[in-house]
Amino acid sequence: MQSRILFTGLLFTAVLRQPLTLRKWAALVLLTGGLALKYLSPHLQVDGYIALMLGQALLSALAGVYNEYYLKEDMNLSIHVQNFFMYFYGMIFNVVLGLLLNPSSFLSLRFDNLMNGQVALIVFFGASTGIAAAFILKFINVLVKAIASAVEVSLTALFARIILGEPFSSRDIPSALVVTAAIAVYYTKGIGEGQSWPKQQRA
């Protein structure tokens, strides 16, 4: 997730051709560092799987930027219509993939197990998250969504403490403070605000 923020910034400027000020770039780097701080450990191992994780982060960032491009392509088209087609195609893809990779488990799925209160809540929260993300992408931008995801990490630790009784780790609070500082830098004016990268080329 940490590298995804920087990938999102790079793709945002490259695909949507919207340069960012140096101050906003500094905020994104600080935000990445704040999230990385939460997961740093002396036992952290770097192996060949890092390439797969970076690839996944790049694809995730590309998907977010493309979704913004698609949602903003026709601002007059209802966001609910756009959401319907995106999720419809996603459902088809998952059904086909499930039938190809594990047809026995997929066909033996009992839908009555899904009809209970806990599952309904999970579906509700998941759907609400998806709709909120679509509104952010259509009417704001993908970088705000990335920032919201970073805040979500800190809030998850907070709610895990409140609801599940899980203690804070020694890195949770420093990470939350750095993330908060990064958001403050992103949304305030100051050093680096007058310069942007990449620079816009004059016609």
Side-chain angles (χ1 to χ4, degrees):
M1 177 179 181
Q2 298 91 319
S3 57
R4 186 180 69 188
I5 293 173
L6 294 181
F7 284 143
T8 300
L10 291 170
L11 291 170
F12 179 79
T13 58
V15 177
L16 301 179
R17 301 187 183 281
Q18 297 188 35
L20 297 174
T21 64
L22 295 183
R23 186 176 181 84
K24 282 184 166 52
W25 277 115
L28 293 180
V29 171
L30 188 61
L31 189 64
T32 301
L35 289 175
L37 180 62
K38 177 177 173 61
Y39 300 104
L40 285 178
S41 168
H43 306 293
L44 183 66
Q45 295 182 348
V46 178
D47 51 30
Y49 291 108
I50 190 70
L52 292 176
M53 290 187 288
L54 289 174
Q56 190 275 335
L58 178 61
L59 289 175
S60 177
L62 181 59
V65 172
Y66 175 75
N67 279 341
E68 178 177 343
Y69 174 81
Y70 167 74
L71 287 168
K72 288 181 176 176
E73 190 174 24
D74 186 354
M75 293 298 291
N76 294 321
L77 184 63
S78 169
I79 189 174
H80 303 296
V81 174
Q82 292 173 311
N83 266 339
F84 170 79
F85 282 107
M86 283 198 297
Y87 286 110
F88 179 71
Y89 294 142
M91 288 172 59
I92 293 177
F93 179 82
N94 279 283
V95 168
V96 172
L97 195 64
L99 290 173
L100 289 175
L101 297 181
N102 199 350
S104 59
S105 296
F106 196 84
L107 293 174
S108 63
L109 181 66
R110 293 183 56 187
F111 289 95
D112 57 326
N113 292 333
L114 304 179
M115 303 304 293
N116 63 65
Q118 291 182 334
V119 173
L121 277 176
I122 293 173
V123 172
F124 171 77
F125 287 127
S128 300
T129 301
I131 293 173
F135 272 92
I136 291 174
L137 292 176
K138 188 174 181 74
F139 299 109
I140 311 178
N141 63 56
V142 68
L143 291 177
V144 173
K145 180 177 177 292
I147 292 172
S149 297
V151 175
E152 178 186 340
V153 173
S154 298
L155 289 179
T156 298
L158 176 62
F159 284 118
R161 177 71 179 90
I162 296 173
I163 298 174
L164 303 177
E166 294 186 7
F168 290 120
S169 73
S170 60
R171 299 178 296 275
D172 283 333
I173 294 178
S175 173
L177 291 175
V178 175
V179 168
T180 302
I183 295 172
V185 171
Y186 189 90
Y187 284 106
T188 56
K189 296 184 181 297
I191 298 174
E193 185 65 25
Q195 298 172 298
S196 62
W197 186 88
K199 295 184 180 297
Q200 290 180 306
Q201 295 182 350
R202 296 180 180 178

